[in-house]
């Protein structure tokens, strides 16, 4: 990939929610994409998700049917990572958030690609320096943190490891901008910029709830109508998952100390299996159709 938008060959490894979204936006901006996953069923589901993003684009009038079929023709499923990354100009990794899995994968990939291939990880919280720690040439490695759902979310947070070369930053910014994303460039510290801000706002909201400052609904309404946030902090936490957010808080507390200590209420809800939308109950309760009901934090 060069710093200008030139169609390239992009391999996306991991075909879950994020990988499918990344493959879709890459193909939608002219790149030839190979999508792969360790699980054949997950690869099928990922390709299906790409097709449904395209169908959705057509339905909403954002994509004409011919462009949608061209887009889909640019996405190929590959059964192995080896096949997916062969000849790639850039590899974007979006596998499970597990340091060992990501490290092993990048070590394998590095042996299969050209020395100038850009290597990017979509990790939400792991240090890029650690993810890329096993590479012979970490200078071409970087974080490209996309947000869910990728086609709708406008930011790509570019995370610069201590050993990332300046040219790699330029290339990653160029790639992201070519995908239609805005970029911010951040240093490789836990929580980057987005997760750290989100953690503070969410934690403060929990503490306010514990202190009886206002109800959860009113704290969310305050953020939405008074601060112009599109979502309230509790709506956001229920979407992200209370367990996922707790893991982020724990990592931030280890790095930055007490200011990031997760609230007792947050910990109790996770202990009780109240993980947010995905478990039907977090701060709020959800019915089978995912519609939000009230909140009962007494037990
Ligand atoms: N979901 C989000 O909101 C979000 C946002 C930003 C970043 N992320 C990050 O993106 C990454 C993926 O998240 P997701 O929500 O798409 O997860 P997901 O669980 O939907 O998908 C992960 C996929 O990786 C596959 N996989 C696991 N090990 C693999 C391997 N060795 N090789 C190839 N494929 C492998 C799994 O089969 C699975 O299909 C994580 O690092 C996550 O932290 C997630």
């Amino acid at each position: 990939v060069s710093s200008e938008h030139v169609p390239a060959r992009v391999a996306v490894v991991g075909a879950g929610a994020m990988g499918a979204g990344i493959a879709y936006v890459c193909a939608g901006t002219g790149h030839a994409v190979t999508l792969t996953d360790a699980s054949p069923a997950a690869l099928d589901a990922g390709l299906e998700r790409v097709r449904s993003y395209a169908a959705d684009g057509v339905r909403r009038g954002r994509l004409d049917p011919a462009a949608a079929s061209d887009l889909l023709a640019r996405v190929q499923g590959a059964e192995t990572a080896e096949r997916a990354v062969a000849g790639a100009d850039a590899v974007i990794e979006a596998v499970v958030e597990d340091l060992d899995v990501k490290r092993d994968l990048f070590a394998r990939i590095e042996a299969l690609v050209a020395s100038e291939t850009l290597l990017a990880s979509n990790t939400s919280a792991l240090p890029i320096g650690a993810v890329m720690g096993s590479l012979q040439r970490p200078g071409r490695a970087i974080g490209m943190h996309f947000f869910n759902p990728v086609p709708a979310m406008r930011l790509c947070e570019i995370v610069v490891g201590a050993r990332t070369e300046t040219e790699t930053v330029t290339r990653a910014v160029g790639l992201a901008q070519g995908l239609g994303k805005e970029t911010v460039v951040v240093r490789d510290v836990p929580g980057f910029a987005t997760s750290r801000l989100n953690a503070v706002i969410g934690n403060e909201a929990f503490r306010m709830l514990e202190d009886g400052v206002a109800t959860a609904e009113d704290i969310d309404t305050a953020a939405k109508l008074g601060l112009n946030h599109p979502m309230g902090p509790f709506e956001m936490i229920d979407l992200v998952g209370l367990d996922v957010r707790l893991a982020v808080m724990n990592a931030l507390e280890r790095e930055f100390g007490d200011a990031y200590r997760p609230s007792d209420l947050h910990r109790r809800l996770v202990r009780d299996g109240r993980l947010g939308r995905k478990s039907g109950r977090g701060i709020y309760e959800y019915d089978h159709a995912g519609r939000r009901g009230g909140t009962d934090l007494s037990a």
Side-chain angles (χ1 to χ4, degrees), residues 217 238 277 280 283-287 290-296:
E217 284 96 336
D238 272 359
R277 280 185 171 273
I283 295 290
Y284 298 105
E285 324 253 333
Y286 300 88
D287 69 12
R291 277 183 302 256
R292 205 185 90 189
T295 175
D296 176 6

Side-chain angles (χ1 to χ4, degrees), residues 12-26 35-37 39 41-53 92-97 102 122 124 145-153 181 239-240 278:
V12 180
V13 184
M18 296 305 291
I22 294 166
Y24 176 77
V25 297
C26 288
L35 180 62
T36 189
D37 198 286
S39 144
L43 175 58
D44 285 346
L47 290 168
E48 184 52 40
R49 195 188 290 253
V50 173
R51 286 190 286 272
S52 81
Y53 277 135
I92 304 178
E93 168 276 315
V95 307
V96 282
E97 186 78 340
K102 287 184 195 287
N122 181 49
S124 6
H145 183 204
F146 293 90
F147 297 81
N148 189 23
V150 182
M153 296 293 284
K181 302 302 177 196
L239 182 69
V240 168
K278 62 187 172 190

